[in-house]
Amino acid sequence: ARLLEPPTVLEGRSIVVTAGPTREPLDPVRFLSNRSSGKMGVAIAAAAWRRGADVTLIAGPLDVATPPGLRIITVETTSQMRDAVSQALPGAAALVMAAAPADFTAALPASTKIKKADAGDALALVRTDDILATTRESRPASCVTVGFALETGDARVEARRKLVDKGLDFIVANDALEDGAGFGVDTNRVTIVHADGREEQLPLQSKTQVADQILDRVEVLLHGR
Ligand code: CTP
Ligand code: CA
């Protein structure tokens, strides 16, 4: 069927997509992470592949199967994801950060198992690097860059702040507590907040449909660059 379709703007272009959570080790047997399944990021990577893009999927530990055809780089921690993103960026036409990197890591990861009695001191946390912010300089100037903002409550104000701070073309906001959106499920209801001020509220739909809506907008921006 693909052969009968016209080429898309993404055809033959390189796109970097991140998916899933990251894990920060606390000691040899424990880690800090979050409830991201990776479904949204994998749906975007698969949709980009169907459009003929050269896809690099940089994935933390996923709760979803990955389709064949994608170049997959598996990482565990936020700093590994940052390094993989910065390596993949040269030549990228687009970067879609659908991953939910862990925001904190152990100040001093323990090389032996932390004992209950010592937990108070052992669990000191520090912030991880912001991948979008720290890789901003290594992005090609024309790279269409998309972020996500999962909030509890009205996501639009926070989303606009993140869009500016992280230098994004648009950000896909959704409410983690809403039914049918957020973690683990196959559907999503999102608001797309654009750098030019526009906001679009999309209806509840499958993550595959949301992925195509996102890539349609990536292609519009790519077309103009
Ligand atoms: N992100 C990133 N590096 C991080 C954390 C997040 O690049 N260390 C990206 C995410 O992939 C997402 C966007 O930044 O595309 C927003 O992530 P989010 O967790 O909503 O925002 P944070 O900046 O981490 O702020 P907070 O969790 O405090 O709301
Ligand atoms: Ca975060």
Side-chain angles (χ1 to χ4, degrees):
R2 255 218 70 78
L3 290 174
L4 302 173
E5 288 164 19
T8 75
V9 182
L10 273 168
E11 177 111 56
R13 309 294 293 277
S14 139
I15 179 170
V16 179
V17 182
T18 67
T22 60
R23 284 181 182 169
E24 300 297 325
L26 300 173
D27 70 12
V29 298
R30 304 186 180 96
F31 58 81
L32 188 67
S33 192
N34 61 66
R35 294 184 191 279
S36 170
S37 64
K39 280 179 179 170
M40 195 62 244
V42 168
I44 292 164
W49 180 82
R50 287 194 295 273
R51 293 178 189 218
D54 176 12
V55 183
T56 300
L57 175 65
I58 299 170
L62 301 180
D63 234 0
V64 56
T66 49
L70 313 176
R71 179 185 314 106
I72 302 181
I73 299 170
T74 310
V75 299
E76 181 170 1
T77 65
T78 296
S79 73
Q80 287 168 2
M81 184 173 279
R82 178 203 60 211
D83 292 347
V85 168
S86 99
Q87 269 195 28
L89 275 178
L95 167 66
V96 182
M97 275 291 301
D103 291 324
F104 306 99
T105 190
L108 287 171
S111 55
T112 55
K113 188 184 165 194
I114 299 166
K115 302 307 291 180
K116 282 189 277 198
D118 305 328
D121 295 332
L123 291 182
L125 301 176
V126 292
R127 294 259 302 265
T128 53
D129 277 350
D130 188 292
I131 297 171
L132 279 169
T134 57
T135 57
R136 200 166 169 174
E137 306 304 318
S138 27
R139 277 183 230 155
S142 59
C143 184
V144 174
T145 307
V146 180
F148 276 73
L150 184 68
E151 310 286 347
T152 52
D154 186 352
R156 286 172 305 169
V157 174
E158 268 297 274
R160 190 161 291 287
R161 183 182 66 75
K162 290 174 183 175
L163 171 116
V164 172
D165 287 355
K166 297 169 195 266
L168 309 176
D169 291 292
F170 65 86
I171 188 162
V172 183
N174 66 306
D175 183 341
L177 300 183
E178 193 187 338
D179 283 348
F183 290 122
V185 298
D186 292 316
T187 52
N188 207 353
R189 188 202 311 275
V190 301
T191 301
I192 298 184
V193 177
H194 293 266
D196 64 14
R198 279 177 303 129
E199 278 180 17
E200 302 178 274
Q201 273 183 278
L202 304 189
L204 182 70
Q205 52 197 324
S206 73
K207 285 186 174 173
T208 296
Q209 289 171 313
V210 173
D212 276 313
Q213 295 285 338
I214 290 168
L215 291 182
D216 285 349
R217 285 151 183 81
V218 167
E219 292 200 300
V220 168
L221 290 165
L222 257 182
H223 192 67
R225 291 190 182 173

